[in-house]
Amino acid sequence: MKVGHALRLLPSLEAVFPLRSLLLASAEPDTRDVWGGSSSYRTVGLHEVDSGELRRQFAAGFRTVTAHLDALYTAFADAMDAEDRDDHAGAVRRLLDAGRSEERLGRFDQANAWFRAALQLAEPLQDQHPEIDALLAIGELTERVGLYQQAARVYQRALALADAAFQAPAASDACAGLGAVATAAGDWRGAQAWYERAMGLAEGSG
């Protein structure tokens, strides 16, 4: 069956998004088509997909999805336990772990949601370390997706907090992030200055 036709059979529901991805990944060019060996002239929707091969991939695909969801739910449950113990920093760490798990899979919107939840929890704390960690995670993510001005603002905020808290390693990370943003903007002199400051802080903190 053509992938395009198979996709029309699939409802647009969040529960079957992994199946949609699996369907696209399983598509093979139709060898009966004269253009079968020239994928640049074809669309994925015109590829053939075999239901038997799709069934064989279900088990592995579902195991991957289940493991990912288990990691997310475990991180959330751990965060709840940490909150019950008044270990707010620990709760922030576990929310950040969940966000990084999403980020590794390229689920950037979902990662950002976890990071923002961690930041919201961290902001009222007297200890500023968790807030700095959350800001650095958000800065790296926004930089990664090309939102450079937003990333610069987040890194600047992280740097200000890290300097105030005498956290040289975190300040170094923030400066390196600002250097990366300056590089992306073509500001070579600014990038060099930020990287040199990051190096100095890193060396000073051992």
Side-chain angles (χ1 to χ4, degrees):
M1 177 183 290
K2 300 291 187 185
V3 172
H5 183 68
L7 288 172
R8 286 195 292 273
L9 301 178
L10 197 63
S12 182
L13 298 172
E14 185 175 359
V16 294
F17 282 175
L19 178 57
R20 183 178 297 271
S21 299
L22 186 60
L23 182 64
L24 292 169
S26 302
E28 295 291 343
D30 185 353
T31 55
R32 296 169 297 179
D33 192 320
V34 66
W35 295 105
S38 304
S39 57
S40 60
Y41 293 96
R42 303 169 55 81
T43 65
V44 172
L46 296 179
H47 288 186
E48 289 284 331
V49 62
D50 178 64
S51 62
E53 178 60 25
L54 198 61
R55 290 175 190 274
R56 284 189 288 274
Q57 294 188 37
F58 281 166
F62 289 152
R63 281 197 298 272
T64 300
V65 171
T66 301
H68 176 63
L69 292 177
D70 180 68
L72 293 180
Y73 297 164
T74 298
F76 179 69
D78 289 347
M80 290 178 61
D81 291 341
E83 278 290 281
D84 284 341
R85 299 191 304 270
D86 290 328
D87 179 12
H88 306 297
V92 171
R93 280 195 301 272
R94 293 302 283 140
L95 294 179
L96 292 176
D97 288 342
R100 293 187 180 104
S101 178
E102 294 279 40
E103 186 178 8
R104 283 192 293 271
L105 294 182
R107 290 165 53 87
F108 300 134
D109 288 343
Q110 291 82 354
N112 184 59
W114 284 105
F115 291 157
R116 295 288 176 180
L119 179 61
Q120 185 176 12
L121 179 62
E123 284 176 330
L125 302 181
Q126 268 194 322
D127 180 6
Q128 292 182 316
H129 294 69
E131 184 177 359
I132 295 168
D133 289 341
L135 287 169
L136 288 174
I138 294 170
E140 291 167 6
L141 178 63
T142 50
E143 174 199 332
R144 183 175 180 181
V145 299
L147 300 175
Y148 298 119
Q149 290 185 344
Q150 181 179 340
R153 289 193 296 270
V154 174
Y155 281 135
Q156 288 280 9
R157 183 177 166 194
L159 177 59
L161 289 177
D163 280 342
F166 301 102
Q167 288 297 308
S172 177
D173 288 341
C175 289
L178 288 164
V181 170
T183 300
D187 179 9
W188 312 118
R189 182 173 297 179
Q192 181 178 356
W194 282 119
Y195 284 134
E196 287 177 351
R197 184 174 175 186
M199 181 67 74
L201 286 165
E203 290 175 345
S205 64

